[in-house]
Amino acid sequence: MSATVNNEHALDGGPGPMGATYGKMMMWFFIVSDALTFSGFIAAYGFSRFKFIETWPIADEVFTHFPFLHGVNAPMYYVALMTFILIFSSVTMVIAVDAGHKLQKTKVAVYMLLTVIGGFMFLGSQAWEWKNFIKGEYGAVETAGGSILQFVKVDKSEKTGYKRVKLEEFAATLPEEREQLTRDKGVWFMEDDHELPQYSVNEVMAGFKSHPEILVRTEFITKKKEKTVLSRAESETKLKDAILVVEGASLIRNEYGHKLFADFFFFITGFHGFHVFSGVMLNILVFFNVLLGTYERRKSYEMVEKVGLYWHFVDLVWVFVFTFFYLV
């Protein structure tokens, strides 16, 4: 006479350490190993930021967009909304797991669906944030030494006393021809993955000369945690080293400041976004199994609990990313 075991995995021979089944133990092993990977990424980011602390972009000046509020300065508001959405989806997952323990099929399905919706909303929000980050808003120029120069003008209504100025607000339009270099032309050049910027260095220089109210702001941060603004004479001298107009961000350069900032942004948030996408796909699979009554017949909703562990891990990682990348 054989005993009946209500474990979900065929290799289960009974509860393991602390009463955990084989499936949950394997999920915990994966979570621990993945946590070490994210820890390495965040540690590398922290090291790089500390090394270049004097020229690192200020997050409050980079992430200022909010949907349907064009031109409104809303630093970190949208990132905070994304964080709230992901945390709320973690709450719905908790409710789904609790309902699974009580074998409440309908309630599990409803809250799994809400979790999936929350995951898609976060992914959509992250895609929108990437779009704005890549496109840029103000533009800048890069010097021969690799420094990024931005443009400002005096504005007493601003906290810093200066207001950022877009290139389109002052750049001139000159009758010059520019050619997008590509490898098939057999010309040696630095890159071919970027389209030509809207303005050339000559057009920016000409526009700057005709707008005496415009000043140059460098990457260097003052003791007041503000970017250094040069005088008009210093600005003219600094601009003589300009060699390239930068609009938006890529893995090569960005208008926000130090090149590594964009690299870490794309890599860390992209890697986390891949985890969220994977979690959403797993949640959808489990959701349909709930509807089909798979776990109802097993008399166990442990699979919901296992994907719930992964989803909570993804949420927790984002809390650390949000804290160290956006807030600190």
Side-chain angles (χ1 to χ4, degrees), residues 63 65-67 70 78 123-137 247-249 256 265-266:
F63 307 104
H65 300 87
F66 201 93
H70 182 70
Y78 194 63
L123 289 172
S125 299
Q126 194 170 55
W128 187 85
E129 183 188 40
W130 270 47
K131 177 187 73 71
N132 287 285
F133 185 81
I134 293 172
K135 182 180 179 181
E137 182 178 4
E247 294 176 336
Y256 311 106
F265 174 81
F266 288 127

Side-chain angles (χ1 to χ4, degrees), residues 153-166:
K153 63 181 179 181
V154 177
D155 189 338
K156 299 301 181 181
S157 63
E158 295 290 327
K159 181 180 178 180
T160 60
Y162 297 95
K163 181 180 180 180
R164 289 285 302 277
V165 179
K166 300 178 182 180

Side-chain angles (χ1 to χ4, degrees), residues 23-231:
K24 283 198 285 188
M25 285 297 297
M26 292 303 101
M27 179 58 75
W28 275 114
F29 287 153
F30 168 76
I31 288 174
V32 171
S33 64
D34 213 27
L36 293 175
T37 303
F38 273 107
S39 297
F41 294 157
I42 294 176
Y45 168 79
F47 174 80
S48 299
R49 179 172 179 174
F50 179 78
K51 183 177 181 180
F52 302 106
I53 190 65
E54 293 182 347
T55 59
W56 203 255
I58 300 173
D60 282 351
E61 296 181 352
V62 177
F63 307 104
T64 60
H65 300 87
F66 201 93
F68 310 113
L69 295 180
H70 182 70
V72 176
N73 187 33
M76 310 303 292
Y77 288 11
Y78 194 63
V79 182
L81 177 61
M82 291 169 54
T83 304
F84 173 78
I85 291 172
L86 199 58
I87 292 176
F88 186 77
S89 72
S90 192
V91 173
T92 58
M93 178 61 82
V94 168
I95 299 175
V97 171
D98 181 67
H101 289 158
K102 300 174 182 178
L103 301 180
Q104 298 173 334
K105 174 184 173 181
T106 302
K107 190 173 181 180
V108 174
V110 169
Y111 283 97
M112 283 296 298
L113 178 61
L114 291 176
T115 303
V116 169
I117 293 173
F120 275 124
M121 289 178 65
F122 178 84
L123 289 172
S125 299
Q126 194 170 55
W128 187 85
E129 183 188 40
W130 270 47
K131 177 187 73 71
N132 287 285
F133 185 81
I134 293 172
K135 182 180 179 181
E137 182 178 4
Y138 294 96
V141 296
E142 183 176 324
T143 67
S147 298
I148 294 295
L149 305 179
Q150 301 169 341
F151 298 92
V152 298
K153 63 181 179 181
V154 177
D155 189 338
K156 299 301 181 181
S157 63
E158 295 290 327
K159 181 180 178 180
T160 60
Y162 297 95
K163 181 180 180 180
R164 289 285 302 277
V165 179
K166 300 178 182 180
L167 296 182
E168 62 187 37
E169 295 181 28
F170 68 90
T173 301
L174 301 178
E176 59 180 9
E177 293 185 4
R178 293 186 292 158
E179 182 180 16
Q180 175 68 57
L181 297 180
T182 55
R183 296 189 186 280
D184 60 353
K185 293 184 173 61
V187 180
W188 179 261
F189 57 97
M190 296 178 62
E191 58 178 293
D192 65 352
D193 61 340
H194 247 239
E195 296 181 357
L196 284 173
Q198 186 176 358
Y199 302 100
S200 67
V201 174
N202 291 334
E203 289 174 327
V204 172
M205 294 286 288
F208 178 80
K209 291 179 180 179
S210 61
H211 289 78
E213 75 280 5
I214 304 295
L215 302 174
V216 164
R217 189 177 75 164
T218 69
E219 297 175 287
F220 290 93
I221 301 176
T222 66
K223 294 181 179 179
K224 296 181 179 180
K225 296 184 178 180
E226 299 173 356
K227 296 292 185 179
T228 302
V229 178
L230 304 179
S231 65

